[in-house]
Amino acid sequence: MSDCIFCKIAAGEIAADFVYQDDDVVAFRDITPQAPTHVLIIPRRHISTLLDATPESGPLLGRMQQAAVEVARREGLAERGFRLVTNCLEEAGQSVFHIHLHLLGGRRLSWPPG
Ligand code: AMP
């Protein structure tokens, strides 16, 4: 989508601090980190929200999870733990309408979330 900031990051049109890239998925550091490690994992293909994912999106969602775990290992979080979060629509806090996983770690994370 031409006006989507995450599409532009995936296309290399907007700079980001990339930590992982493959044919389907890219990951980069969140510009407003909420934890010592805060990485966003996004599909290159535009999907606005989880509600827009279809059964055909399943393998891509799996690739995102696998990429997130790979980044977590690289960030040294495999021993201490980490959290993956997807916000869906405004009430959950979604502000960018291109699906993404937040990978959070490097500090103790409280539960339930705010
Ligand atoms: P959400 O609010 O769940 O949709 O998450 C969107 C995330 O994208 C927020 O944590 C923002 O800080 C982050 N973000 C927005 N613009 C950028 C950007 N240009 N580079 C990196 N992270 C960004």
Side-chain angles (χ1 to χ4, degrees):
M1 261 180 56
S2 59
D3 61 346
C4 170
I5 188 169
F6 283 3
C7 282
K8 289 179 179 172
I9 287 174
E13 295 167 7
I14 292 178
D17 185 1
F18 290 102
V19 295
Y20 177 93
Q21 301 196 50
D22 66 27
D23 288 346
D24 302 315
V25 174
V26 304
F28 52 91
R29 297 194 190 279
D30 196 293
I31 203 167
T32 310
Q34 302 300 316
T37 294
H38 187 172
V39 170
L40 301 174
I41 297 92
I42 73 169
R44 291 186 184 275
R45 182 157 67 80
H46 185 88
I47 301 172
S48 294
T49 80
L50 275 183
L51 293 164
D52 300 301
T54 64
E56 290 70 38
S57 311
L60 183 58
L61 299 180
R63 291 288 309 121
M64 291 169 62
Q65 290 261 352
Q66 289 176 315
V69 172
E70 171 63 22
V71 174
R73 290 188 198 283
R74 291 183 189 176
E75 294 285 313
L77 298 174
E79 303 299 325
R80 53 194 299 186
F82 56 89
R83 183 175 293 170
L84 298 179
V85 176
T86 296
N87 298 320
C88 185
L89 299 182
E90 286 88 349
E91 194 164 319
Q94 185 174 8
S95 61
V96 177
F97 285 76
H98 178 130
I99 59 169
H100 47 282
L101 288 170
H102 294 259
L103 168 64
L104 297 155
R107 66 169 171 84
R108 182 161 293 278
L109 299 167
S110 59
W111 192 264

